[in-house]
Amino acid sequence: MIAHTESFEIITRGKGTYEITDVVQRIVRSTGVKNGLATVFIQHTSASLIIFENADPTARTDLEEYFERLVPENTNYFVHTAEGADDSTSHIRMVLTRTSESVPVAHGRLQLGTWQGIFVFEHRRSSHRRRIVVSVLGTKE
Amino acid sequence: MIAHTESFEIITRGKGTYEITDVVQRIVRSTGVKNGLATVFIQHTSASLIIFENADPTARTDLEEYFERLVPENTNYFVHTAEGADDSTSHIRMVLTRTSESVPVAHGRLQLGTWQGIFVFEHRRSSHRRRIVVSVLGTKE
Amino acid sequence: MIAHTESFEIITRGKGTYEITDVVQRIVRSTGVKNGLATVFIQHTSASLIIFENADPTARTDLEEYFERLVPENTNYFVHTAEGADDSTSHIRMVLTRTSESVPVAHGRLQLGTWQGIFVFEHRRSSHRRRIVVSVLGTKE
C-alpha cells in the first residue's frame, strides 16, 4: 500500500482553462502505484478544477463565455468586491465547479476517457501562482 | 489493504437520469472491503454523475427541466455545435455536475443516506453507451 | 494502512453555510494517518458540502444571495413542492455543489490552502440535523 502526497505549481495568465493532465499522470507513474486512486486538489478559492473535453478548443471557449454570463462581474448586489469585480465571481465560479477531482488508476495509468483532460479553471483576471496537491493511494500490483 | 478497479457500461436512451446505485454496491460487496472509500467515475464529457434523491421521481423531473433552462440549447453565442445543439450544452451541464462521486464504505456497505442514489446524468438527446469505472480502496476489517 | 470511517452530526438553523473544518481535522488527527486522503460526505439531498473562503464572511453572503437567485423558490414549473417552496430548490442547489469533498492529508494535516474551509451548505429554511461521514485512508508514515 502506497500513500503518496506531492504538490506542484502553475502560473496562470488570466481567466481561462489550463491543462495539467500530463503533470498528474507523471506523478502517478513515479509512485509505482498500479491500482488505486489519484485525487487532485487545488489550494485556492478563486480558481478551481474541472475534467473537460480536451480535443476541440471551442468547447472551452463556450464554457468560459458561459461562466462569464452565469456569474457576471457587473452583479449589482455583490458586496465582497474589495479585490475588484472578479472577487465574488471567482469564489462562486469555484463553488460551481470543483476544488478536487478524483480519477481511478489501473495498470499504472489514470483511467480517463478518450476526450477527458484535467484542467485548472482560473477565475481571476490577473496572473496567479496556483498550488495543486496530488494524492495517490493504491497498491503496486 | 485492497485496491480494486472495475468498470461497467450502461446504455442511456436520451437525456435524463439513470440510477446505478445497485451496480456500485454489488462491486463494493464483491471486493470484501469492510471499511474504505468507493469512487465512481464516468469516462465521458457529455454525461455526468450525481448523487440525488431517489424516492420521488418528480424531484428528477424538476432537475432535468431546470438544466434545460440553465444551459439552453438555443444559446446563440455557442460555437462548439459540430455535433448539434446538444454539444456544448452537454459539456457545460457536465461541468456543473460531477465526473466522479466518492462514498465512504463501512460494514461493507456504501454509506449513503436514506434518500440518496447514484445516477448517471445523460446530457445527449440520442442513445449512448457510457463506461463507468469504480475504484474501491480499503481494508477487510 | 489505515481505513477509518466515522460520522458526526450538526444542527443547522436555516439556510446558510456552517464551517466544519475543525471537526474534520480532529478526526484526521485521531486516526494517526500522516499521509493519505480525507473524504467528507453528507448523507442528505437537501444540504451539501463546499470548500470555500473562510476569512471574510461577505464572500459567503454573496454566495448565498447568488444561489437564492440562481435557483429561485418562486420557479413556476417546479412540481416537486410537497414539502414547500424550498423542496426542489434544495435538491437542485445540492446538485450544483457537492455531496462529498476530498482533501489530501500530509504530515497528519488536511492540505487546505490558507483561505479554505469546509462548510455544510444548508438549503432548507428550517432547522435540520445533518449527518456527515468522514473517511480517512492512508499510512502512519
Side-chain angles (χ1 to χ4, degrees), chain C residues 42-115:
Chain C
I42 187 162
Q43 289 186 315
H44 304 276
T45 59
S46 55
S48 56
L49 296 175
I50 56 172
I51 288 177
F52 203 68
E53 117 106 63
N54 72 351
D56 181 349
T58 63
R60 289 152 66 190
T61 307
D62 286 357
L63 173 73
E64 294 165 22
E65 181 62 26
Y66 177 83
F67 267 79
E68 284 300 314
R69 292 160 188 247
L70 184 65
V71 194
E73 290 205 354
N74 61 354
T75 301
N76 57 17
Y77 61 83
F78 283 162
V79 294
H80 181 77
T81 51
E83 295 175 29
D86 63 343
D87 194 344
S88 256
T89 56
S90 293
H91 300 312
I92 293 169
R93 292 175 191 191
M94 178 271 291
V95 156
L96 291 170
T97 49
R98 249 79 52 215
T99 296
S100 68
E101 290 280 8
S102 289
V103 185
V105 173
H107 316 295
R109 292 194 63 81
L110 293 167
Q111 293 302 291
L112 293 166
T114 312
W115 312 110

Side-chain angles (χ1 to χ4, degrees), chain A residues 53-124:
Chain A
E53 118 105 65
N54 71 351
D56 181 348
T58 63
R60 288 152 65 189
T61 307
D62 286 357
L63 173 74
E64 293 164 20
E65 180 63 26
Y66 177 83
F67 267 78
E68 284 300 314
R69 290 159 188 247
L70 184 65
V71 193
E73 291 203 355
N74 60 356
T75 301
N76 58 17
Y77 61 84
F78 284 163
V79 294
H80 181 77
T81 52
E83 295 175 29
D86 63 343
D87 194 345
S88 256
T89 57
S90 294
H91 299 312
I92 293 170
R93 292 174 192 191
M94 178 270 291
V95 156
L96 292 169
T97 48
R98 247 81 50 214
T99 296
S100 69
E101 290 280 7
S102 289
V103 185
V105 172
H107 317 294
R109 291 194 63 79
L110 292 167
Q111 293 302 290
L112 293 166
T114 313
W115 313 109
Q116 288 180 314
I118 307 169
F119 295 86
V120 170
F121 197 170
E122 176 61 68
H123 304 302
R124 289 295 204 168

